[in-house]
Amino acid sequence: MVAAETAISDIDGREGVLSYVGYDIHDLAPNATFEETCYLLHNLELPNEQQLEEIKEQLGREREPNDFVMELMPQLSQNTAPMSMLRTACSASSARDPDGWDTSEGANYRKAMRLIAVFPTLVAYYDRLRKGHPLVRSDASLSLAANFLYMLKGDKADDEEARIFDICLTLHADHTMNASTFAARVCAATLSDIHSAVTAGIAALKGPLHGGANEQVMRMIKEIKEPSKARDYIINRLRNKEKVMGFGHRVYKTEDPRATHLRRMAKELAEKSGDGNNYEISQEIEKAVMDEKGIYPNVDFYAASVYGYLKIPTDLFTPVFACSRVSGWTAHVREQYADNRLIRPDHAYVGPERRSWKPLSQR
Ligand code: COA
């Protein structure tokens, strides 16, 4: 059943093809920056030089959270899990947005850019606050990807790591009518505001069957500890009818094209770090799941190793996913507003036949 018409992205699950506005992800991953990807998703064309400079400037300028959110951050860092922080901070960001409750096309574009720009800062500040580390202010001269790693860790990432993270952001940016994007569009279709719609997207992404899978993958790798133990672990898990996180997909019936890039980058980082253990465990898991169930890894599987090698704390993997997917959510929300119709799915009733009211004394 078609839930919405979209020009933003498309998937061919049988062939394993993902495209953004007609561009194959295999073309975008090695060539596009995340800033170019954001422009593409929102404007349905690649930017020329001037347009790229403009969006880079905009995404560089809007990185600091507003005062209201900054007042909340110490509390959030102590009392909430990372995705709950992001959900709350996103919602709170509407309070002092410079465009207020203006819902014009121009205001919604600016709000979208502000959300894309501020998400990485929220995640980095959250981590530093909870650890009692001093905040690292954003550096507008760095790309969104390089700046996030800088604000999170306090040191500038080398070019290779910054580029790998940039590619991760592009790979996660959009994925048609996935659960969180659908949730965002359902909310937008009531003509609720863009911050509310993105907040709904975050709430849906949080679940372990969607964005939360990447964190579970790293926990599994840590539990397995060494490559030789991977196969038995998987066999046991499957015997107990437990799912292996990071595998399977509702749409792809072959390799998820994003996994191809993430596998390669995980290998590169493993070699660079001189510690191939996580990568080797991942490979053994992949072989065992394929042999036992014939199921392919999805985007979350090798993303976990990549983020692990980039020294991103495990419980920030899903918020990092959101830092990328906010570009897709906001593009979809704007597309929904542009040609809106309330989304109201049909249902299949499975309850009792119609019956008569029973007074309390007879129940
Ligand atoms: N591990 C083990 N078995 C899996 C599996 C996994 N990760 N994913 C699917 N399967 C099996 C199911 O058990 C089922 O087998 P059966 O027919 O013998 O009962 C079959 O494959 C179909 O699975 P189903 O749950 O109907 O697929 P779905 O399209 O409803 O679910 C997911 C898709 C993504 C929810 C599911 O694959 C999953 O839970 N994966 C793990 C979580 C994850 O990585 N999520 C991120 C998605 S990007």
Side-chain angles (χ1 to χ4, degrees), residues 76-102:
L76 293 174
S77 71
Q78 297 307 319
N79 296 297
T80 60
M83 281 300 276
S84 302
M85 172 283 294
L86 198 59
R87 193 190 55 220
T88 306
C90 172
S91 179
S93 296
S94 69
R96 297 213 184 126
D97 187 279
D99 280 295
W101 296 111
D102 183 352

Side-chain angles (χ1 to χ4, degrees), residues 66-360:
N66 67 40
D67 294 350
F68 178 56
V69 175
M70 279 310 283
E71 279 167 30
L72 292 175
M73 284 305 285
Q75 281 292 329
L76 293 174
S77 71
Q78 297 307 319
N79 296 297
T80 60
M83 281 300 276
S84 302
M85 172 283 294
L86 198 59
R87 193 190 55 220
T88 306
C90 172
S91 179
S93 296
S94 69
R96 297 213 184 126
D97 187 279
D99 280 295
W101 296 111
D102 183 352
T103 56
S104 65
E105 166 59 24
N108 278 336
Y109 185 75
R110 289 188 294 277
K111 288 179 187 181
M113 293 304 128
R114 280 184 203 114
L115 286 171
I116 298 168
V118 81
F119 270 32
T121 307
L122 294 171
V123 178
Y125 280 179
Y126 170 89
D127 192 55
R128 296 191 75 84
L129 283 165
R130 71 177 169 174
K131 289 175 174 161
H133 295 167
L135 299 185
V136 177
R137 297 290 166 186
S138 58
D139 179 343
S141 72
L142 297 175
S143 69
L144 187 139
N147 182 63
F148 170 69
L149 295 175
Y150 169 56
M151 292 179 85
L152 182 71
K153 298 195 262 185
D155 294 317
K156 292 196 173 142
D158 67 31
D159 289 349
E160 186 187 359
E161 293 189 357
R163 178 61 188 143
I164 283 179
F165 187 59
D166 192 45
I167 295 172
C168 289
L169 294 178
T170 290
L171 293 173
H172 287 82
D174 198 47
H175 210 231
T176 72
M177 224 38 63
N178 59 90
S180 57
T181 302
F182 183 54
R185 282 191 83 129
V186 168
C187 185
T190 68
L191 295 184
S192 186
D193 62 287
I194 192 166
H195 285 83
S196 298
V198 172
T199 303
I202 298 171
L205 186 73
K206 187 169 180 278
L209 294 188
H210 189 6
N214 54 14
E215 299 183 23
Q216 301 304 325
V217 171
M218 184 47 84
R219 293 186 212 291
M220 171 171 71
I221 291 172
K222 285 185 178 152
E223 219 178 306
I224 292 175
K225 289 196 184 77
E226 44 189 277
S228 62
K229 298 196 171 141
R231 185 167 290 269
D232 284 350
Y233 177 97
I234 295 301
I235 290 172
N236 260 328
R237 211 177 156 93
L238 293 174
R239 197 174 290 146
N240 294 336
K241 303 261 174 264
E242 287 172 310
K243 282 195 167 160
V244 183
M245 291 295 148
F247 286 84
H249 201 276
R250 176 63 59 84
V251 183
Y252 293 118
K253 298 304 164 213
T254 179
E255 169 139 320
D256 179 333
R258 303 166 298 177
T260 315
H261 295 275
L262 289 158
R263 186 193 290 105
R264 175 182 48 77
M265 296 192 293
K267 184 167 185 272
E268 278 169 29
L269 288 171
E271 283 163 5
K272 185 170 179 241
S273 73
D275 176 4
N277 200 50
N278 284 0
Y279 178 69
E280 283 162 31
I281 292 174
S282 304
Q283 288 229 296
E284 291 306 315
I285 297 173
E286 184 180 352
K287 279 188 222 152
V289 176
M290 183 47 76
D291 292 347
E292 299 296 321
K293 289 286 283 188
I295 298 178
Y296 294 87
N298 58 45
V299 69
D300 290 311
F301 187 64
Y302 281 103
S305 298
V306 171
Y307 296 158
Y309 283 120
L310 291 175
K311 299 202 166 46
I312 296 172
T314 303
D315 65 354
L316 298 187
F317 289 4
T318 314
V320 162
F321 189 157
C323 289
S324 164
R325 187 54 59 85
V326 64
S327 60
W329 290 331
T330 47
H332 277 271
V333 166
R334 290 182 52 242
E335 187 181 57
Q336 184 68 39
Y337 290 146
D339 185 18
N340 189 53
R341 186 151 191 254
L342 188 80
I343 298 172
R344 175 68 161 88
D346 210 346
H347 70 287
Y349 178 68
V350 294
E353 295 288 306
R354 278 198 221 168
R355 46 190 173 162
S356 312
W357 168 254
K358 227 186 226 178
L360 193 54

